[in-house]
Amino acid sequence: MRPTVHDIAAEAGVSLATVDRVLNARPGVRQKTVAKVEAAVERLGYVRDVTAANLAKKRIYPLVFILPEGPNSFMRGLEAEIRAAMQRSPAERTSIRIETVPPFDAKAIVNILDSLDPAEVTGVALVATDTPDVTAAVGRLVENGVHVATLVSDLPGSQRIHYCGIDNLAAGRTAGGLIGRFRGGRAGKVLVVAGSMKLSDHMDRASGFAEVLAAEFPELEIVGPVETNDDADAVRQAVTAALEADAGITAIYSLGAGTRGLIEALAGQASRKLTVVAHEVTEHSRQALADGLFDAVINQDCGHEVRSAIRVLKARSDGLMPISAQERIRIDIFLRDNLP
Amino acid sequence: MRPTVHDIAAEAGVSLATVDRVLNARPGVRQKTVAKVEAAVERLGYVRDVTAANLAKKRIYPLVFILPEGPNSFMRGLEAEIRAAMQRSPAERTSIRIETVPPFDAKAIVNILDSLDPAEVTGVALVATDTPDVTAAVGRLVENGVHVATLVSDLPGSQRIHYCGIDNLAAGRTAGGLIGRFRGGRAGKVLVVAGSMKLSDHMDRASGFAEVLAAEFPELEIVGPVETNDDADAVRQAVTAALEADAGITAIYSLGAGTRGLIEALAGQASRKLTVVAHEVTEHSRQALADGLFDAVINQDCGHEVRSAIRVLKARSDGLMPISAQERIRIDIFLRDNLP
DNA sequence: CAATTTTTGATTTACGTACCTCAGAAATTC
DNA sequence: GAATTTCTGAGGTACGTAAATCAAAAATTG
């Protein structure tokens, strides 16, 4: 049997109340007595029964998720995962609220952040553009004791306690490695399509991609990146225009959203066999993989990201540091052959 | 506030004891009364507080893991993950024991399975060769009420309740898709190196690989598979011999273990630039990727597999069916660019 | 040494569920 | 309608921890 607080009390020769005071860092215990209790804990290998503790204190964690609204499939998938987490709320003792804002609207995010009552919210996870006003608003929240985590795209200079998402520099490098190897040494140009350079994830992917191409595949030349604000129609137009303007383009790296537009543009250029790598497994990209239109899709599991965000925010609310190694989100590569 | 059993009792107009009998499927309640309680549960949206329930019944789940001993890095990684799960035992209410057996020793596995006392073990997870005697021993155990899950490699015809591992047919197809694309349409031969065709995972990988090559990359011809019993020295010798015998080999797919031997063989053929895909991220394969000796490594996250096995065995012990969609283990692809 | 403050002990209630007993009510059978 | 069986109610204890109260003991101060 694992030891309980009673065993600790007996072992340390103190009362239950004192053990409780020490374990919960309550005041009014002499340093000498604290040491006695801690020694007993050590000797018996006591670990607090978290389920019993939670039952006793019936703590709940009010959390807020902020993410862009609109048709972006990835963001809608992310929202679905948050809703799935809401379903688990009773078991996880969370109380989750979702706030959506127009995409690329920093002001709207700032407004929501400023409207949150620190007394009623313990943690916030948000998907945001990396702009100074958002960073400042995050800082204000953190000052007021609310824990903030960034989701999908980081705010590097901010006070956020954790970034829940993939290493986008590595993702870009991976795309470079794949396209480089898929091209098998043949010279050509690679069109890079991005959403917005105000998004730190897009920035990082572009950098990582360029880095690997320069270092390992000098025969490939980058065209772009063109910015599309993640709008499918804009992607379609930009890609079509670029392909028609430059017959030397043999590959495309789409590092943002608007994948539907990319597929439409490729359908209009069916005669040209292009090597294509895009991001995020969605209904569209899945079909494009199956059809052989895409060669690979790089994915981040938004379910993992949401669950990680919740774990981290809960842990910090309890005064614990998240174990960063455990919270790393992996970069998934999907070919048509390993699609789930 | 979420409803409790007391609320259900009040709502249904019955006593606490009756609610308890209904919720825990105890006998002695008229069908009419059962319906009343169930209606109340439905109306109030009651969900049992699992932590409180676990606390009350202080159930523990005695589990046994069986896996091969020996220097195989992947298996040692697997064992490490099991030990990590043992560390979490108090919180997860498990009691885990590890049994190791000589690799490819079906008899030893059968002996252990037959020695287990169904009164003292609720679940078993095992890594096993797909032979009739093992399948039969699993059947005997299941008949005695012990739940059995296969780990890493499946026993397709057995009574196991669940297979915790990747879809190895898809893994083989993925390897085929990668090598095919990496070779970029250039004709050549691919050497396939396997451990043992008695392992269903190796069988499946070989099949999936051959399938994709035949369908999508007819310019690539398969040599092998050669069997090495996952022994590094055997791999080194087999690969060296094959490469020296056939100058047409331009790629290698190593679908088993003994990766160290493969690396040694490649080091001996440094002048020849081969496309190489292997399985499992280990110290050795990680280095080979970094050195550019391997182009890609296909991986299964054995931490996920162990955690999944525990979840599944616990769920079945509680009479629940595992949600198979949630328990699917993904196929990871690693290049040097996305190594964690 | 008395007065004060700090530390400790003893005890209780609560969290939500599981599981037990025993008495009494209701339904069924003869 | 009596005897039996089947249901139901009321109440309790337990799980391990949290959190509170109040009294008593110990240490510190003047």
Side-chain angles (χ1 to χ4, degrees):
Chain A
M1 282 303 280
R2 58 190 284 203
T4 74
V5 278
H6 295 86
D7 301 320
I8 301 300
E11 175 79 12
V14 301
S15 78
L16 215 57
T18 302
V19 172
D20 180 65
R21 290 181 185 113
V22 173
L23 289 180
N24 294 290
R26 275 186 259 278
V29 184
R30 229 178 321 163
Q31 188 50 49
K32 246 180 86 181
T33 317
V34 171
K36 270 204 297 185
V37 173
E38 279 169 350
V41 166
E42 191 65 29
R43 268 200 305 281
L44 299 186
Y46 168 82
V47 271
R48 171 198 256 113
D49 184 327
V50 191
T51 68
N54 282 338
L55 180 61
K57 65 179 159 192
K58 54 178 192 164
R59 185 173 186 353
I60 54 153
Y61 302 82
L63 306 178
V64 174
F65 279 77
I66 303 173
L67 71 165
E69 61 200 28
N72 183 327
S73 299
F74 174 74
M75 290 302 166
R76 298 290 67 77
L78 188 69
E79 187 174 343
E81 288 293 347
I82 301 170
R83 295 199 183 281
M86 290 167 84
Q87 299 261 302
R88 293 191 304 270
S89 272
E92 299 182 346
R93 311 195 111 79
T94 55
S95 156
I96 298 174
R97 201 172 86 220
I98 300 179
E99 298 279 358
T100 59
V101 292
F104 302 104
D105 186 344
K107 201 120 243 146
I109 294 179
V110 170
N111 284 340
I112 290 189
L113 290 177
D114 283 339
S115 75
L116 296 175
D117 179 356
E120 287 179 349
V121 176
T122 62
V124 174
L126 80 166
V127 184
T129 47
D130 183 15
T131 53
D133 47 351
V134 175
T135 301
V138 167
R140 285 193 293 276
L141 258 184
V142 172
E143 293 302 322
N144 287 323
V146 178
H147 303 98
V148 178
T150 47
L151 203 57
V152 179
S153 189
D154 197 12
L155 298 173
S158 72
Q159 304 277 320
R160 95 283 185 284
I161 54 168
H162 191 77
Y163 160 59
C164 309
I166 58 173
D167 177 343
N168 285 295
L169 212 59
R173 284 203 306 268
T174 304
L178 283 173
I179 288 184
R181 286 182 176 77
F182 286 170
R183 294 306 303 164
R186 287 162 295 188
K189 296 181 185 171
V190 187
L191 175 64
V192 174
V193 185
S196 165
M197 287 302 151
K198 270 193 268 179
L199 290 166
S200 70
D201 54 343
H202 289 196
M203 271 295 294
D204 288 347
R205 289 173 192 171
S207 307
F209 186 77
E211 178 196 308
V212 165
L213 254 52
E216 291 187 60
F217 308 101
E219 70 277 13
L220 296 176
E221 181 192 331
I222 290 178
V223 177
V226 294
E227 284 186 69
T228 63
N229 269 339
D230 283 345
D231 178 70
D233 292 332
V235 171
R236 176 172 42 74
Q237 288 168 24
V239 172
T240 304
L243 287 179
E244 283 174 356
D246 193 337
I249 293 176
T250 55
I252 300 178
Y253 174 37
S254 171
L255 59 78
T259 301
R260 182 175 55 76
L262 173 60
I263 294 170
E264 289 167 3
L266 291 173
Q269 307 276 334
S271 57
R272 224 156 132 183
K273 178 53 198 140
L274 294 157
T275 299
V276 180
V277 172
H279 271 266
E280 314 312 348
V281 172
T282 63
E283 204 185 328
H284 300 119
S285 64
R286 179 184 290 273
Q287 188 59 49
L289 269 181
D291 292 346
L293 221 49
F294 288 2
D295 292 278
V297 169
I298 295 174
N299 187 66
Q300 54 189 316
D301 190 315
C302 46
H304 286 183
E305 292 175 341
V306 168
R307 291 188 286 274
S308 176
I310 292 172
R311 272 196 305 274
V312 166
L313 291 174
K314 281 175 68 175
R316 264 313 262 273
S317 301
D318 290 337
L320 308 169
M321 289 301 275
I323 306 149
S324 51
Q326 234 176 51
E327 300 297 344
R328 204 193 57 253
I329 309 293
R330 288 180 311 173
I331 296 168
D332 296 328
I333 303 171
F334 289 105
L335 311 179
R336 67 194 296 181
D337 312 292
N338 69 328
L339 263 181
Chain B
M1 281 303 280
R2 58 188 284 202
T4 74
V5 279
H6 295 84
D7 301 320
I8 302 298
E11 174 80 10
V14 300
S15 78
L16 215 57
T18 302
V19 172
D20 179 65
R21 290 180 185 114
V22 174
L23 288 180
N24 294 292
R26 275 186 260 279
V29 183
R30 228 179 321 163
Q31 188 49 49
K32 247 179 85 180
T33 317
V34 171
K36 271 204 296 186
V37 172
E38 279 169 350
V41 166
E42 191 66 30
R43 267 200 304 282
L44 298 187
Y46 169 82
V47 272
R48 172 199 258 110
D49 184 327
V50 191
T51 67
N54 282 338
L55 179 61
K57 63 182 160 192
K58 53 177 193 162
R59 187 178 188 343
I60 56 152
Y61 302 83
L63 306 178
V64 174
F65 279 78
I66 305 173
L67 70 165
E69 62 199 27
N72 183 327
S73 299
F74 174 73
M75 290 302 166
R76 297 290 68 75
L78 188 69
E79 186 173 344
E81 289 293 346
I82 300 171
R83 295 197 183 282
M86 290 167 83
Q87 299 260 302
R88 293 191 304 271
S89 272
E92 299 182 346
R93 312 195 109 81
T94 55
S95 156
I96 298 173
R97 202 173 84 221
I98 298 178
E99 297 279 358
T100 58
V101 294
F104 302 104
D105 186 343
K107 199 121 245 144
I109 293 178
V110 170
N111 284 342
I112 289 188
L113 290 178
D114 284 338
S115 75
L116 294 176
D117 179 355
E120 286 180 349
V121 176
T122 63
V124 174
L126 80 166
V127 184
T129 47
D130 183 14
T131 54
D133 48 350
V134 175
T135 301
V138 167
R140 285 193 293 277
L141 215 51
V142 172
E143 293 301 323
N144 288 324
V146 179
H147 303 99
V148 178
T150 48
L151 203 56
V152 179
S153 189
D154 198 10
L155 299 172
S158 72
Q159 305 276 319
R160 94 283 187 283
I161 54 167
H162 191 77
Y163 160 59
C164 310
I166 57 171
D167 176 344
N168 285 296
L169 212 58
R173 284 205 305 271
T174 304
L178 283 174
I179 288 185
R181 286 180 175 79
F182 286 169
R183 294 308 302 164
R186 288 162 296 188
K189 295 181 186 171
V190 187
L191 174 66
V192 174
V193 186
S196 164
M197 287 302 150
K198 270 194 268 180
L199 290 167
S200 68
D201 54 342
H202 290 196
M203 271 294 294
D204 288 348
R205 289 174 192 172
S207 306
F209 187 76
E211 179 195 308
V212 164
L213 254 52
E216 293 186 58
F217 308 100
E219 71 276 14
L220 296 176
E221 181 192 333
I222 290 178
V223 176
V226 294
E227 286 186 66
T228 63
N229 270 339
D230 284 343
D231 178 71
D233 292 333
V235 171
R236 176 172 42 73
Q237 287 166 26
V239 171
T240 304
L243 287 179
E244 282 174 357
D246 193 337
I249 293 175
T250 54
I252 299 178
Y253 174 37
S254 170
L255 57 78
T259 300
R260 182 177 52 78
L262 173 60
I263 294 169
E264 288 166 4
L266 290 173
Q269 307 276 333
S271 57
R272 223 155 132 185
K273 177 54 197 141
L274 294 156
T275 299
V276 180
V277 173
H279 272 265
E280 314 313 347
V281 172
T282 62
E283 204 184 329
H284 300 118
S285 64
R286 180 184 290 272
Q287 189 60 48
L289 268 181
D291 293 345
L293 222 48
F294 288 2
D295 293 274
V297 169
I298 295 174
N299 187 66
Q300 54 190 316
D301 189 316
C302 48
H304 286 182
E305 291 175 342
V306 168
R307 290 188 289 273
S308 176
I310 293 172
R311 272 196 305 273
V312 166
L313 292 173
K314 281 175 67 175
R316 264 315 260 274
S317 302
D318 289 336
L320 307 169
M321 291 298 277
I323 305 150
S324 50
Q326 233 175 51
E327 299 298 343
R328 205 193 56 253
I329 309 292
R330 289 180 310 175
I331 297 167
D332 295 328
I333 304 171
F334 289 104
L335 311 180
R336 65 193 298 182
D337 312 293
N338 68 328
L339 264 180

